[in-house]
Amino acid sequence: MVYPKHGVGQITEFKKINIGGIDVETYVIKFEKDKANGMVPVNKQSHLRPLATINQVNKCISILKSKPKIKRSMWSRRAQEYEAKISSGKIYELAEVVRDLNKGDDLMVDQSYSERQLFEKAYERILSEFQIILNLSLEDTQKKLDKALKRNLVSQTQTTTSPVKQATPELSEEDSVPENEETIES
């Protein structure tokens, strides 16, 4: 399941708890990425959505490949709109945020701190969902996303580091030329 406020999680159990003298039925959700558990009341299950289908992933990849649509409004207004799209839980809106905030390999130069934060939040969420749906390793999923976004140096954009992501720069630099060749062939 996807819980928009926290990303991809798995319902592990159904539990009744007592809050202030009221019995509440809840879903217990495990979020692997954050190594955390959360509870969502059953009557709030509309806030949950199933994982995207492969067709939805393909449409998201088409969105990622399309030209960014950036409004000419002030950044503070756009930032609120991006945050709302990220929190909406709608995968197409998430893909639009990633597309619109993607600056390719020049991310560190052209983006403010808040733009990078929003991009990374959206990128991580779509990456984790794609990884589960496509049943690929994190590196392979990241390569697929980066290819759609025409990016080669993703690791430069990531401020959060994990052992998997630290290995990514070596792969990206070595594979950057063959990746271009793949694009020409396919």
Side-chain angles (χ1 to χ4, degrees):
M1 299 306 273
V2 176
Y3 187 52
K5 294 183 180 184
H6 299 287
V8 178
Q10 180 179 6
I11 295 176
T12 57
E13 66 179 298
F14 176 81
K15 190 177 194 178
K16 282 188 180 185
I17 60 171
N18 189 304
I19 300 175
I22 301 171
D23 285 335
V24 179
E25 296 175 331
T26 64
Y27 294 115
V28 177
I29 303 173
K30 183 177 183 179
F31 298 98
E32 278 296 324
K33 181 181 169 268
D34 299 329
K35 297 191 179 2
N37 289 332
M39 288 189 202
V40 175
V42 171
N43 64 348
K44 298 288 184 184
Q45 70 187 17
S46 62
H47 296 287
L48 300 175
R49 73 165 170 82
L51 289 172
T53 64
I54 195 69
N55 290 337
Q56 289 173 314
V57 168
N58 288 333
K59 184 172 179 182
C60 285
I61 289 173
S62 296
I63 290 170
L64 295 173
K65 288 179 178 181
S66 66
K67 186 178 178 188
K69 296 175 184 166
I70 302 169
K71 296 179 182 175
R72 296 205 177 268
S73 59
M74 292 181 65
W75 166 246
S76 59
R77 169 73 68 193
R78 286 194 330 249
Q80 288 176 343
E81 290 171 6
Y82 290 143
E83 190 66 53
K85 283 183 174 187
I86 292 169
S87 298
S88 74
K90 297 175 181 171
I91 193 151
Y92 299 142
E93 290 187 4
L94 193 58
E96 289 170 4
V97 172
V98 172
R99 174 200 64 201
D100 293 347
L101 291 176
N102 175 46
K103 300 290 187 200
D105 298 335
D106 300 327
L107 187 67
M108 299 302 274
V109 176
D110 293 342
Q111 267 187 328
S112 69
Y113 177 77
S114 59
E115 281 180 288
R116 278 195 310 274
Q117 292 298 105
L118 282 173
F119 173 78
E120 290 170 6
K121 186 177 185 180
Y123 184 90
E124 287 295 321
R125 288 200 181 168
I126 206 163
L127 178 69
S128 61
E129 190 163 355
F130 278 20
Q131 182 182 2
I132 293 167
I133 296 162
L134 299 172
N135 197 23
L136 297 171
S137 69
L138 181 65
E139 294 89 356
D140 290 343
T141 309
Q142 203 167 13
K143 283 181 185 179
K144 189 169 188 70
L145 260 176
D146 294 344
K147 187 175 179 182
L149 293 167
K150 296 181 176 77
R151 301 168 56 87
N152 289 324
L153 304 173
V154 170
S155 61
Q156 282 185 355
T157 68
Q158 303 299 326
T159 56
T160 57
T161 56
S162 67
V164 175
K165 288 181 187 169
Q166 289 171 345
T168 306
E170 297 166 17
L171 293 172
S172 296
E173 291 171 12
E174 291 174 9
D175 294 341
S176 61
V177 174
E179 199 170 286
N180 291 339
E181 291 172 2
E182 288 178 40
T183 306
I184 295 168
E185 293 173 4
S186 56

